[in-house]
Amino acid sequence: MRVVVAEDQVLLRDGLARLFRDAGHEVVGLAGDADEARSAVAESVPDLLVADIRMPPTHTEEGLEVARWVREQHPGVGVLMLSQHVYGGVVDLVSGRGFGYLLKDRVLDVADFLDAAQRVAAGGSALDPDLVATLVRRDDDALDRLSAREREVLGLMAEGLTNAGIAARLVLTERTVESHTRAVFMKLDLHGDGDGHRRVQAVLSYLRAQ
Amino acid sequence: MRTRWVLAGTTALLYVVGSVVDLLVERASGWYAGGLRELLTFAPVVLASFAVGWLLVLRRAGGAIGWLLLANWLVLVSFGFASTYAGYSYSPTSHGDLPGARLAAIWDTHGWPLLFAPFLLVLLLLPNGTLLSRRWRWVVVLGVLSFSATTLSGVLGGERLDRPFEDVPSFDVLPAPVHAVLGLGLPGMTITVVLAATSLVLRYRRSDAVVRRQLKWIALAGCLLPVAILSSTFLDKTPDSSGLATWLPFVLLFMALPASIGVAVLRYRLWDVDRVVAATVAYAAVTALLAAAFVAVILVGGVLLGGGSPITTAAATLAVALAFRPVRATVQGRVERSLNPRRWSGEQLVDAFLADLRAGRREPEEVADTLARAVGDDDLRVYYWLPAQDSHADADGHLVADLPASPTARTPVRRGELHLGTVVHRPSVRRDLEHLLMRAGLAVEIARLRVEVRRQLAEVERSRARIVTAALDERRRLERDLHDGAQQQLVAIGLDLRHLQAGLEDDSPVRHQLDDSVQRLGSAIRELRELARGVRPATLDAGLGPALSELAGRAPVRTVLDVTDERFARDVETAAYFVVSEALANALKHARPALIEVLADRVEGRLVVVVTDDGPGGALAAPGSGLAGMGDRVAALGGTLTVDSPPAGGTRVRAELPCA
């Protein structure tokens, strides 16, 4: 996997690059702000751009602008956004292909982080569990009808995990996970019971519609 | 100019020498008793015309008026010298028939018309030395002709001379027809007097305030004429009208006339005329009334108790003493009202305003409008002095560094040593204004204090808003520091640990210890994140909507949002966020509601935030509670926070924040 890391804090940027390298990925570009990120992406066209949402000069939403630019200019490049706090403004982008959003400290769970990064690079999605939790915690009659396990599965689907990923996370068999996902779709009156991006889209659009 | 000064000096010298000679001659003749007395009373009269005449001539003011006064002086002096000379010549000790002594004696009797001629001409020329119009030249001609004719017919007409020259033969050289024609001079003089008076009246009517005041001075002096006539007619008991009652009013008249002419032409303290007129009339009236009262008491007392009783006199004195104050107050009020209705009505306005002020019906700041109406100056403005700012301010408390250039006049308002402010007004109303300010000064001071307090309050409000905004900014900075500083450092350290871990053998015991350390780091980062959100949620950068939906998403009860997408000033959004945050916390802590509704929208320039829960109600924003603190912050931003929490009716927190 060829990766560009965009992060204004040098220590963190180097740490991230090292993390990818340790895992056997190739870091093809490092950027300290939005402009550098754009040129790095344009230059090396990586599989994945990992970018901080807050970057110089204004430290507000530079990362999001870069993400939108990448989606327009290089639709094949996956974008994984990182931030220090739960940022609701990304849900729009996540429902598109090849987009992820995680809190920064998720990088410390190396395996899950790399899994999410690879998913995004492959055109899948990744949504931070904290953000998913705020979505799923919504007061909603349909959601109330879900069992605790079904809610868990719904959240993991929203995070972008595949059935295999969900099974691994919950220590269940894939078949059991499949039956849970079917139940969730039925109870929420959703269609597209697949195992890919369309499923994430359906789940997210349901959760966001509340 | 120099010739005038030389002329003035020469005449003054001649006059002094002449007067001394005159006195010495009278002394020498011995028969003209009371010469010194006459000189002492006559001299001020002569001097008045002389001094004022030269003053006007030297100042080149009032055209021919100065010269006419000098002419009057010359006439007066000629009378003085003529009578002395003739008296010296015809005295019992007989110094012989001196040359021209007969003419001097005749002049003493028949020269009198010339005493009035200069003053009559002055009346036509007042106050600036020009006639009312060219047509009035004929009046001047008529005056000169008729006065000359009368003088001539007197001097040459063969009539008997007055005492003490009754034995001196007069000239009788006029043929009868000429004498008859010259006789027309007397009616001519009368017509001239009437026309001169008419000219004055016409001029007064057509004039502005300044000229009117100039003319009033003359009128004031002219009032002495009827006094003099009445006095000489009714009070003088001497057979030939030479007593004190005759000559004193005339002396006063001939002193007052030049003096008032000088004041009018030179405009010196012109504006005091109304006060002097009013005071003169008022005191004359008071004196007359009290004298009448005294006489009445004496008469009644005389009838009842017999004449000369000391009781009567005492009672009369007591009555007058008791009546003095109320009579004076009433008469003065009446006189001022009729003589100066504008000032009088101005006083009434101010007094009514002060009464309303005391009763709370009007505001002290209305003193400016009241003064403007009282003096009739729409441009009048009052500016209050603020010593702390070292500047004036208007009634709204706005500083006015430079008072407006127009209108031009400025009158300071003082109370003792204290400078209260400045009234900017038209110059013409200064007198009336100063008079009224003596009454209205207290109202000005109250208004000034209120302006000062308002300014200080506004300043305190502004500084409170600044403090609250600064505190909100400080929260934002702190949140940034936590996220971008401490949190990032911890993540970087975690990554380092993970890197170290990657280099270790799979079964190394350190590996597990590192896992543990990284997990603890993760907890620390999450705790920091919660802390930062408490300080200020970063989502507020994206707007109130995202921040509130995140907040609602974390609430353990169903929370329905209806929040505008509009962006507001950062401090407004932050304050609104914390209102909702505190209201939610309050509801969750005390009310256990099933549903919370949050509404935020712009209503008429204000961001209105309403948080309603369906709990049991009865919540109060106790001092020190989160909601009370929120109320203070909202108030600091110029907003309001209300908590409506009827028992069993749910709680409704409503905040309104100005958002321009």
Side-chain angles (χ1 to χ4, degrees):
Chain A
M1 186 164 70
R2 299 167 73 247
V3 183
V4 167
V5 178
E7 161 65 55
D8 56 312
Q9 270 223 338
V10 182
L11 275 180
L12 207 51
R13 186 166 67 212
D14 292 349
L16 279 169
R18 214 165 44 199
L19 180 78
F20 281 109
R21 286 197 196 103
D22 285 350
H25 300 294
E26 189 189 353
V27 177
V28 295
L30 294 171
D33 62 33
D35 287 341
E36 285 177 24
R38 271 189 279 260
S39 43
V41 168
E43 203 173 299
S44 49
V45 194
D47 299 314
L48 180 70
L49 165 69
V50 179
D52 191 356
I53 288 185
R54 279 184 181 178
M55 276 194 291
T58 65
H59 289 279
T60 50
E61 292 190 340
E62 280 82 1
L64 287 185
E65 282 161 29
V66 173
R68 291 192 189 100
W69 176 84
V70 170
R71 171 151 300 174
E72 229 169 76
Q73 303 292 322
H74 302 279
V77 178
V79 181
L80 179 57
M81 308 298 309
L82 298 179
S83 86
Q84 291 287 10
H85 55 85
V86 174
Y87 191 83
V90 297
V91 179
D92 274 344
L93 286 166
V94 175
S95 55
R97 283 181 63 84
F99 190 89
Y101 165 75
L102 293 174
L103 286 172
K104 264 186 192 167
D105 47 311
R106 302 293 171 201
V107 302
L108 299 182
D109 295 326
V110 179
D112 284 353
F113 175 70
L114 287 175
D115 182 44
Q118 268 169 322
R119 224 168 44 234
V120 171
S125 53
L127 194 54
D128 193 272
D130 276 16
L131 183 53
V132 170
T134 67
L135 295 174
V136 176
R137 204 185 290 137
R138 293 274 164 84
D139 188 89
D140 172 9
D141 293 344
L143 287 180
D144 283 348
R145 284 198 297 271
L146 298 182
S147 70
R149 184 59 100 183
E150 283 162 356
R151 268 174 178 267
E152 232 171 341
V153 170
L154 173 69
L156 291 171
M157 283 194 285
E159 284 180 34
L161 267 61
T162 59
N163 280 355
I166 296 171
R169 187 75 67 84
L170 297 179
V171 201
L172 295 172
T173 64
E174 274 197 62
R175 281 179 55 114
T176 316
V177 171
E178 267 170 40
S179 71
H180 282 314
T181 57
R182 263 202 305 277
V184 168
F185 270 63
M186 220 167 62
K187 287 183 177 174
L188 298 185
D189 200 17
L190 290 177
H191 304 285
D193 177 20
D195 189 13
H197 181 70
R198 282 182 58 209
R199 186 174 79 176
V200 179
Q201 256 184 319
V203 169
L204 282 180
S205 60
Y206 175 83
L207 290 175
R208 285 176 53 227
Q210 302 306 302
Chain B
M1 199 68 192
R2 276 191 69 162
T3 47
R4 287 172 191 239
W5 280 102
V6 171
L7 202 57
T10 314
T11 48
L13 193 66
L14 281 176
Y15 176 46
V16 170
V17 171
S19 297
V20 172
V21 169
D22 182 273
L23 194 61
L24 292 176
V25 168
E26 266 190 42
R27 277 272 161 117
S29 69
W31 71 279
Y32 205 42
L36 188 60
R37 188 200 71 178
E38 206 148 294
L39 181 77
L40 286 180
T41 51
F42 198 56
V45 171
V46 180
L47 267 176
S49 282
F50 181 76
V52 175
W54 275 119
L55 191 62
L56 296 186
V57 167
L58 293 175
R59 288 268 186 102
R60 293 177 184 273
I65 294 175
W67 295 112
L68 285 170
L69 287 178
L70 287 176
N72 181 58
W73 164 74
L74 212 56
V75 170
L76 290 171
V77 166
S78 75
F79 270 95
F81 289 157
S83 67
T84 305
Y85 188 65
Y88 182 70
S89 174
Y90 295 110
S91 66
T93 48
S94 186
H95 300 273
D97 201 354
L98 294 173
R102 189 175 166 210
L103 184 62
I106 291 171
W107 183 249
D108 183 65
T109 296
H110 292 293
W112 62 268
L114 291 191
L115 277 177
F116 300 96
F119 278 124
L120 267 179
L121 290 178
V122 165
L123 289 187
L124 288 167
L125 293 173
L126 278 171
N128 55 3
T130 56
L131 291 168
L132 204 52
S133 72
R134 285 180 65 80
R135 263 181 284 173
W136 288 86
R137 277 180 310 166
W138 297 113
V139 180
V140 176
V141 172
L142 174 65
V144 170
L145 287 178
S146 58
F147 277 87
S148 306
T150 308
T151 310
L152 271 178
S153 93
V155 172
L156 306 175
E159 289 179 42
R160 268 176 64 93
L161 303 187
D162 287 346
R163 227 168 52 95
F165 307 119
E166 60 268 27
D167 298 330
V168 178
S170 56
F171 298 128
D172 190 8
V173 295
L174 288 180
V178 178
H179 198 245
V181 170
L182 291 180
L184 289 174
L186 212 52
M189 279 166 62
T190 315
I191 293 170
T192 312
V193 169
V194 171
L195 287 174
T198 310
S199 160
L200 262 188
V201 170
L202 284 178
R203 206 187 277 269
Y204 185 86
R205 283 203 186 157
R206 295 174 190 177
S207 303
D208 61 13
V210 177
V211 174
R212 285 188 176 195
R213 280 166 199 265
Q214 288 176 297
L215 297 180
K216 275 186 196 173
W217 280 105
I218 313 298
L220 186 63
C223 286
L224 284 169
L225 183 64
V227 172
I229 292 170
L230 290 175
S231 175
S232 68
T233 311
F234 294 109
L235 297 179
D236 198 350
K237 300 299 180 216
T238 57
D240 57 352
S241 293
S242 63
L244 184 73
T246 297
W247 61 258
L248 188 59
F250 275 103
V251 165
L252 288 177
L253 173 65
F254 278 92
M255 278 166 65
L257 269 179
S260 64
I261 287 168
V263 167
V265 175
L266 295 172
R267 301 190 182 188
Y268 177 74
R269 290 183 72 84
L270 195 56
W271 303 96
D272 280 338
V273 64
D274 290 331
R275 249 181 19 206
V276 176
V277 169
T280 307
V281 175
Y283 278 96
V286 169
T287 308
L289 277 173
L290 292 182
F294 190 83
V295 168
V297 172
I298 294 279
L299 284 179
V300 173
V303 170
L304 294 179
L305 301 168
S309 162
I311 297 172
T312 315
T313 316
T317 311
L318 184 65
V320 169
L322 286 179
F324 179 73
R325 273 180 69 88
V327 166
R328 196 198 62 168
T330 312
V331 168
Q332 204 162 355
R334 286 280 167 86
V335 166
E336 283 180 3
R337 185 170 164 182
S338 50
L339 286 181
N340 194 345
R342 199 183 64 193
R343 175 175 287 185
W344 185 81
S345 67
E347 282 172 3
Q348 297 301 106
L349 259 177
V350 170
D351 288 349
F353 167 71
L354 291 175
D356 282 350
L357 187 63
R358 273 192 287 276
R361 287 189 292 268
R362 300 183 70 180
E363 301 296 323
E365 288 81 357
E366 293 177 55
V367 68
D369 284 346
T370 306
L371 285 174
R373 279 173 51 214
V375 299
D377 177 2
D378 292 339
D379 300 327
L380 182 144
R381 300 282 179 275
V382 177
Y383 294 95
Y384 304 97
W385 179 251
L386 302 181
Q389 275 71 32
D390 197 29
S391 167
H392 284 95
D394 62 16
D396 298 326
H398 299 128
L399 290 187
V400 180
D402 299 308
L403 296 179
S406 162
T408 54
R410 278 127 181 63
T411 296
V413 190
R414 294 183 179 284
R415 197 168 147 71
E417 290 296 302
L418 197 63
H419 181 53
L420 300 179
T422 304
V423 183
V424 174
H425 58 91
R426 291 202 289 259
S428 55
V429 303
R430 186 187 295 279
R431 285 272 161 211
D432 287 347
L433 182 66
E434 281 174 351
H435 180 74
L436 292 177
L437 277 175
M438 283 189 268
R439 288 165 187 251
L442 196 61
V444 174
E445 178 163 21
I446 296 171
R448 191 195 75 81
L449 287 173
R450 281 166 49 116
V451 165
E452 201 167 29
V453 167
R454 262 204 300 277
R455 264 196 64 83
Q456 282 166 354
L457 192 61
E459 179 48 45
V460 168
E461 277 172 359
R462 276 197 297 276
S463 84
R464 186 170 66 154
R466 280 198 300 272
I467 289 168
V468 165
T469 303
L472 293 177
D473 285 347
E474 187 59 25
R475 276 173 174 268
R476 188 164 184 268
R477 216 174 52 78
L478 189 57
E479 174 257 325
R480 284 276 164 101
D481 286 351
L482 286 174
H483 279 319
D484 299 338
Q487 245 182 299
Q488 302 255 44
Q489 290 283 353
L490 290 180
V491 173
I493 291 168
L495 280 172
D496 282 351
L497 294 180
R498 285 301 188 202
H499 176 65
L500 290 176
Q501 202 180 26
L504 289 175
E505 298 297 323
D506 276 0
D507 55 355
S508 164
V510 180
R511 202 181 170 89
H512 294 289
Q513 285 173 12
L514 282 177
D515 264 341
D516 194 38
S517 297
V518 171
Q519 266 177 10
R520 291 218 309 274
L521 261 182
S523 312
I525 292 168
R526 277 188 290 282
E527 274 177 32
L528 266 182
R529 183 154 56 231
E530 288 305 308
L531 188 63
R533 188 180 28 244
V535 171
R536 179 187 178 274
T539 35
L540 261 177
D541 284 345
L544 197 54
L548 288 183
S549 52
E550 196 210 323
L551 187 66
R554 301 166 63 83
V557 295
R558 190 164 168 225
T559 304
V560 180
L561 292 182
D562 183 1
V563 178
T564 174
D565 290 335
E566 196 179 333
R567 296 302 305 265
F568 302 92
R570 197 155 66 207
D571 51 354
V572 171
E573 284 184 342
T574 309
Y577 174 86
F578 280 112
V579 166
V580 176
S581 160
E582 287 293 342
L584 282 180
N586 221 44
L588 295 172
K589 196 167 159 193
H590 303 295
R592 294 186 228 293
L595 176 69
I596 299 175
E597 288 175 297
V598 177
L599 187 140
D601 202 2
R602 175 195 281 271
V603 180
E604 289 165 3
R606 296 168 90 82
L607 172 60
V608 176
V609 180
V610 185
V611 180
T612 317
D613 71 52
D614 59 356
L620 279 175
S625 75
L627 268 181
M630 224 29 254
D632 288 345
R633 274 187 265 175
V634 167
L637 295 172
T640 54
L641 182 94
T642 49
V643 179
D644 184 19
S645 190
T651 300
R652 182 186 167 92
V653 176
R654 179 187 174 94
E656 295 191 14
L657 292 151
C659 57

